[in-house]
Amino acid sequence: QGSNYFTGGRANGLTFWESSAMAALGSGTWEYFFENNRASLNDLINTTLGGIALGEVLHRTAWMVRNPSGTKGRKECWR
């Protein structure tokens, strides 16, 4: 789920760090407002970090698939 938050931010033009905050915010929102039991620190950390790692890989892969020949697109991907 964390990668969905992260790639959602990246797909809408956010930077790496802004999307990382998006993953943390999404994870925290879910843990504190939609769970029936107490929020787990382990879930907050793992969802955020796992979402960042997987989300960035998916974002860069999708960017190269969509624009394989242009160097402008690849430079944009690494911002």
Side-chain angles (χ1 to χ4, degrees):
Q1 187 62 33
S3 67
N4 289 333
Y5 296 128
F6 185 88
T7 55
R10 290 291 272 168
N12 286 294
L14 297 180
T15 65
F16 175 84
W17 295 110
E18 291 167 340
S19 295
S20 298
M22 185 83 145
L25 179 67
S27 177
T29 301
W30 181 262
E31 283 292 318
Y32 284 105
F33 297 114
F34 297 109
E35 289 280 335
N36 290 331
N37 47 11
R38 208 173 88 191
S40 167
L41 181 61
N42 185 36
D43 284 348
L44 288 169
I45 293 169
N46 286 325
T47 302
T48 302
L49 295 180
I52 292 168
L54 181 60
E56 186 65 14
V57 169
L58 291 173
H59 171 72
R60 291 182 184 201
T61 302
W63 189 269
M64 284 196 234
V65 168
R66 284 191 314 247
N67 190 6
S69 62
T71 57
K72 180 180 178 190
R74 289 189 178 164
K75 285 181 185 175
E76 185 71 23
C77 177
W78 304 106
R79 66 180 171 147

